[in-house]
């Protein structure tokens, strides 16, 4: 069926050519996605033949799940064709990725609650039920921001948070859901006024420059230690330990001597421990059945053990 004597199609004819319903065409017209060319004497909508290609494009985009505002950006000639479709598709991929991640977290959390002993189910449900899906890292980042030196430069703070705050996996297993829930519960516990200072001594004395030097040097030392740990090597002398000690010596304005190393070992041993946090991080980032992945906390312990072993020898 071709256009009428005026070269235009009725809404029914356009729907028939597109293989859809009049109701669908009317919806897109009312939404401003499919402008009509004219109205008949009786007030009926009339469409130009090129509306068929536009309607097919609209249906294709909607079939991919793009919301109406994004479809309008793509089909509207005033938006320009350059990059508009690519941006819309990329945005939809990000949206779907978030939704899929949320569903995977919900599924793993349900398996976790379903598989636990009945007497533990209520507590576990409260623990994992407080998480969003996918969960937010804001509680963990907030904990570390309060823990870090207050005058620490913003760039150094961001670099530390990237290393200390684990990102929730996109496809978690139930054990990882439990580890992340416990992490959030751990950092959310209220502190009473009688608790010991949570910051290491080096942090409390560090200014902006010193804290930047401290964390840049420690990041390098932890990475060097992590390489050794991944091979199964035990704590030992070497480049990682030298970098670790040199960082503290530089911040303290001291030379790296045996005496300094003895004082450093005593100080680090007396510093507050966050072992529970790093143990949960290791559970979260380690692949099921794989060897434990090093964390800044476990790398620190490896280096401290290496320092103790060197001094004992």
């Amino acid at each position: 069926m071709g256009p009428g004597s005026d070269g235009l199609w009725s809404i029914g004819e356009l729907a028939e050519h597109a293989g859809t319903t009049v109701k669908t065409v009317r919806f897109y017209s009312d939404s401003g996605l499919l402008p009509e060319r004219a109205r008949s004497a009786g007030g009926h909508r009339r469409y130009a033949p090129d509306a068929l290609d536009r309607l097919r494009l609209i249906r294709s985009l909607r079939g991919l799940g793009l919301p109406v505002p994004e479809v309008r950006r793509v089909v509207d000639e005033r938006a320009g064709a350059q990059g508009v479709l690519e941006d819309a598709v990329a945005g939809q991929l990000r949206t779907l990725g978030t939704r899929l991640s949320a569903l995977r977290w919900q599924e793993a959390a349900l398996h976790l609650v379903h598989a636990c002993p009945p007497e533990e189910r209520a507590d576990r449900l409260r623990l994992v039920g407080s998480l969003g899906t996918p969960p937010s890292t804001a509680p963990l980042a907030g904990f570390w921001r309060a823990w870090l030196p207050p005058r620490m430069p913003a760039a150094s703070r961001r670099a530390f948070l990237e290393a200390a705050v684990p990102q929730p996996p996109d496809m978690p297993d139930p054990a990882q859901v439990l580890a992340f829930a416990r992490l959030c519960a751990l950092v959310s516990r209220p502190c009473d006024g009688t608790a010991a200072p949570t910051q290491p001594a080096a942090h409390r004395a560090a200014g902006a420059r010193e804290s930047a030097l401290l964390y840049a040097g420690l990041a390098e030392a932890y990475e060097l230690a992590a390489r050794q740990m991944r091979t199964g090597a035990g704590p030992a002398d070497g480049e990682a330990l030298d970098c670790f000690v040199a960082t503290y010596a530089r911040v303290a304005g001291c030379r790296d001597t045996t005496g300094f190393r003895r004082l450093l070992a005593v100080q680090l041993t007396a510093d507050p421990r966050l072992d529970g946090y790093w143990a949960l991080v290791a559970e979260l980032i380690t692949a099921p059945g794989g060897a434990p992945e090093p964390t800044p906390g476990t790398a620190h312990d490896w280096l401290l053990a290496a320092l103790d072993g060197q001094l004992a020898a």
Side-chain angles (χ1 to χ4, degrees), residues 152-160:
M152 187 173 181
S156 299
R157 187 181 298 269
R158 285 194 299 270
F160 178 88

Side-chain angles (χ1 to χ4, degrees), residues 15-290:
E16 182 179 353
H17 279 83
T20 188
T21 64
V22 169
K23 182 179 179 180
T24 297
V25 178
R26 185 177 292 114
F27 171 78
Y28 292 143
S29 291
D30 292 342
S31 300
L33 295 175
L34 190 66
E36 60 202 50
R37 176 64 60 85
R39 291 268 178 155
S40 68
H44 299 294
R45 306 171 199 248
R46 304 289 288 172
Y47 297 90
D50 60 6
L52 178 59
D53 289 338
R54 187 180 178 99
L55 177 57
R56 285 171 173 163
L57 175 60
I58 292 169
R59 294 187 65 204
S60 296
L61 295 172
R62 290 291 289 158
L64 293 174
L66 269 70
V68 169
E70 289 299 308
V71 173
R72 181 177 289 109
R73 289 184 61 238
V74 174
V75 301
D76 191 343
E77 291 179 356
R78 290 171 299 176
Q82 185 67 32
V84 176
L85 178 59
E86 290 81 357
D87 290 346
V89 171
Q92 184 65 6
L93 285 172
R94 288 191 295 270
T95 299
L96 288 176
T98 301
R99 291 176 184 170
L100 288 172
S101 181
L103 289 173
R104 294 185 190 110
W105 273 84
Q106 290 176 1
E107 180 184 30
L110 288 169
H111 281 301
L112 178 67
V113 173
H114 180 71
C116 74
E119 62 273 13
E120 299 177 11
R121 192 160 292 151
D123 289 340
R124 188 156 295 184
L125 182 61
R126 281 192 293 269
L127 184 64
V128 300
S130 63
L131 296 177
T133 50
S136 170
T137 59
L140 309 181
F143 168 79
W144 286 112
R145 287 192 183 99
W147 185 86
L148 290 168
R151 291 170 290 180
M152 187 173 181
S156 299
R157 187 181 298 269
R158 285 194 299 270
F160 178 88
L161 291 176
E162 288 178 4
V165 177
Q167 294 303 308
D170 287 334
M171 301 183 66
D173 59 27
Q176 290 173 313
V177 171
L178 182 59
F180 196 89
R182 285 176 170 164
L183 267 178
C184 291
L186 178 67
V187 301
S188 302
R189 290 175 185 168
C191 300
D192 58 41
T194 62
T198 58
Q199 287 187 333
H203 298 180
R204 296 194 295 275
R209 177 181 176 278
E210 292 81 6
S211 61
L213 291 173
L214 175 65
Y215 284 98
L218 290 180
E220 182 181 356
Y222 292 161
E223 177 55 32
L224 291 170
R227 295 175 190 173
Q228 297 296 313
M229 296 168 69
R230 291 188 183 100
T231 67
D237 297 350
E239 183 183 6
L241 179 59
D242 289 343
C243 178
F244 182 66
V245 175
T247 295
Y248 280 104
R250 188 163 55 250
V251 171
C254 299
R255 291 189 303 114
D256 180 3
T257 64
T258 301
F260 176 78
R261 292 196 175 211
R262 291 190 184 281
L263 290 174
L264 179 62
V266 172
Q267 176 187 302
L268 295 180
T269 301
D271 274 341
R273 307 291 299 177
L274 296 170
D275 293 336
Y277 180 93
W278 296 117
L280 289 169
V281 170
E283 289 183 33
L284 185 66
I285 66 176
T286 300

